Amino acid sequence: GKKRVSKSGLQGTALFRELSDAYEENALMRQAAAMVFLFVLVTNTYNFYAHSHFMAPRISNPSIMSLGRSKTGQTVIIDDFREAYWWLRDNTPDDARVLSWWDYGYQITGISDRTTIADGNTWNHEHIATLGKMFASPEEESHAIVRHVADYVLVWTGGGGDDLAKSPHMARIGGSVYKEINPDEFYQDEKGNPSDMMRKSLIYTAVHYRLNPAIPQFKPDTFEEVYTSKNRMVRIYKVLKVSKKSKKFGKEGRGYQAWYNGKELESAYPPALQEILAGKEDFEQLEDFNREGKKDK
């Protein structure tokens, strides 16, 4: 027998026929829609092409060098970072250790050929937190730690994404392990005024030292300015009263030995820092597969 077609099916068929008839009868509208689509496609393709060629030389340029403009509008090369790294290479002992935020570790090692305290492959959160503690702590408290691990301190300045902009992250990471650091008290207000904690920190002093009249001189036997780049984008300080005993301890490869023998990495730090390290609370991350083992101890 004949198949019955439902009412909804008849309505759908009628609607399709109406749309089909409208499509056939409005050739001009179809052509206009096609032209609009083609215009949008060509425009976007050209914009993508132009943007790609605009960005290519900027992305291809070395990341430590950039183009800028002088006050007269002339194009200039901002070369502060390379110059600072070469200064380290040419003016510091071969065994010099450089404290900086971990972002610049590879650059210092590769260009300056100097040992850094951390780099992009430093997975130990507690170690990065110790760096954060050094930078976020008051000058003298920081020096009491830095003198056992570094000979120089390098900071990025000049605004933008400099170390002052990163300093709240330093405090936050430091505070995740060293509970005496309260990151909520480390900030700048909407006018750029630092909180009391930030103003007293090593990182704030190192960025603004001598350039801001409100920043006092370094305390005796703590830090000494030895280099400021042409455009004031990099500053380097010599650590005074470096512990020779701790430096000798660090040359014995204890970090590698601790890792190789499966020991706690605290044993790689100089004995003079053990009291400070004893006050930390290890940060438990989702990928920390040793959490259960730590809890069982």
Side-chain angles (χ1 to χ4, degrees):
K2 296 182 178 179
K3 294 183 179 180
R4 294 184 178 181
V5 181
S6 65
K7 185 177 180 180
S8 59
L10 290 173
Q11 291 175 343
T13 302
L15 178 62
F16 176 78
R17 287 175 178 173
E18 290 180 7
L19 292 175
S20 179
D21 292 341
Y23 177 82
E24 295 295 336
E25 294 172 1
N26 292 279
L28 185 61
M29 183 178 295
R30 298 202 312 272
Q31 293 174 358
M35 292 297 294
V36 170
F37 176 79
L38 183 61
F39 174 78
V40 172
L41 178 64
V42 171
T43 301
N44 287 341
T45 301
Y46 174 78
N47 289 340
F48 176 77
Y49 174 86
H51 179 72
S52 298
H53 281 262
F54 175 79
M55 291 300 299
R58 289 160 177 78
I59 296 176
S60 300
N61 288 337
S63 61
I64 62 170
M65 300 171 64
S66 60
L67 294 177
R69 291 195 177 278
S70 65
K71 294 181 179 179
T72 60
Q74 292 181 319
T75 301
V76 295
I77 296 177
I78 307 299
D79 196 21
D80 289 45
F81 306 111
R82 181 201 58 80
E83 290 177 347
Y85 298 145
W86 278 18
W87 186 93
L88 275 175
R89 181 196 64 184
D90 298 336
N91 295 276
T92 62
D94 291 343
D95 64 349
R97 302 159 300 170
V98 182
L99 170 66
S100 70
W101 193 232
W102 64 266
D103 297 28
Y104 330 125
Y106 284 140
Q107 294 179 359
I108 294 172
T109 300
I111 302 175
S112 303
D113 194 22
R114 293 296 178 266
T115 299
T116 57
I117 309 305
D119 56 36
N121 200 37
T122 302
W123 285 48
N124 188 316
H125 181 90
E126 287 70 32
H127 185 67
I128 298 296
T130 303
L131 265 68
K133 177 177 174 61
M134 295 181 206
F135 282 119
S137 296
E139 172 192 328
E140 290 182 284
E141 182 180 333
S142 174
H143 180 264
I145 305 174
V146 176
R147 64 184 292 263
H148 293 287
V149 297
D151 303 289
Y152 293 87
V153 177
L154 181 148
V155 296
W156 278 22
T157 60
D162 67 2
D163 280 345
L164 193 60
K166 298 173 184 175
S167 63
H169 299 290
M170 300 177 188
R172 188 174 299 110
I173 295 173
S176 69
V177 172
Y178 297 94
K179 301 306 179 181
E180 66 272 17
I181 298 176
N182 185 354
D184 293 335
E185 297 181 359
F186 195 100
Y187 62 88
Q188 284 182 300
D189 62 22
E190 61 277 5
K191 295 182 179 180
N193 299 315
S195 64
D196 188 58
M197 182 180 178
M198 176 183 277
R199 180 176 54 80
K200 294 178 180 178
S201 68
L202 171 63
I203 189 63
Y204 189 82
T205 302
V207 168
H208 290 292
Y209 178 74
R210 197 175 50 77
L211 305 179
N212 183 343
I215 302 300
Q217 295 287 317
F218 280 112
K219 299 291 192 301
D221 298 328
T222 55
F223 302 97
E224 175 189 2
E225 179 190 7
V226 292
Y227 178 83
T228 296
S229 64
K230 179 180 178 181
N231 297 294
R232 299 177 177 178
M233 299 186 74
V234 183
R235 309 195 72 184
I236 301 173
Y237 297 88
K238 184 177 182 179
V239 182
L240 304 180
K241 293 290 184 179
V242 169
S243 171
K244 296 180 180 179
K245 186 176 180 180
S246 293
K247 186 168 185 176
K248 181 180 178 182
F249 182 92
K251 286 185 175 182
E252 296 174 357
R254 294 176 183 270
Y256 172 79
Q257 293 173 23
W259 170 81
Y260 185 80
N261 295 313
K263 295 182 178 179
E264 295 288 340
L265 290 180
E266 282 83 350
S267 62
Y269 290 89
L273 295 182
Q274 294 306 314
E275 182 177 351
I276 293 174
L277 294 172
K280 67 182 178 64
E281 296 182 19
D282 288 353
F283 184 75
E284 293 186 347
Q285 304 178 78
L286 292 177
E287 65 272 21
D288 187 352
F289 302 109
N290 297 315
R291 282 189 294 173
E292 294 300 323
K294 292 177 182 177
K295 291 178 181 179
D296 294 339
K297 291 182 180 180

